[in-house]
Amino acid sequence: MPRERFNRTCLSPHDLAICERVFDQVCADEHLNPLDPDAEILAVMVVAIFRNAHTGERELLEAVRSRRQKVAGSGH
């Protein structure tokens, strides 16, 4: 795999730790079992938002919470 593509698709251990802490916090906030299928959707969302330049933990957490509220508010 070309190095540029690898760098864009993989998370460093530091980045992964940020995503994992945000995932764990949102699961706790929403009383969501981390093994539930909805948690898999949450995990994908966390990583997608992280990759979209929300690389600070606080910023990422706020962005994920905001997105989750919008989704819940739309009835999905």
Side-chain angles (χ1 to χ4, degrees), residues 26 30 32 38 41-42 44-46 49 62-76:
V26 174
E30 297 183 10
L32 182 63
D38 287 338
I41 294 167
L42 171 61
V44 170
M45 178 186 289
V46 169
I49 293 172
E62 290 173 7
V64 170
R65 285 176 172 162
S66 175
R67 181 75 53 87
R68 298 279 291 177
Q69 288 173 350
K70 288 179 185 174
V71 169
S74 71
H76 295 121

Side-chain angles (χ1 to χ4, degrees), residues 1 5-6 9-10 19 25 30 33 36-37 45 47 52 55-57 62-64 66 69 74-75:
M1 176 182 296
R5 179 154 171 75
F6 178 81
T9 59
C10 294
C19 291
Q25 183 61 55
E30 297 183 10
N33 180 340
D36 189 281
M45 178 186 289
V47 172
N52 196 31
T55 56
E57 188 169 340
E62 290 173 7
V64 170
S66 175
Q69 288 173 350
S74 71

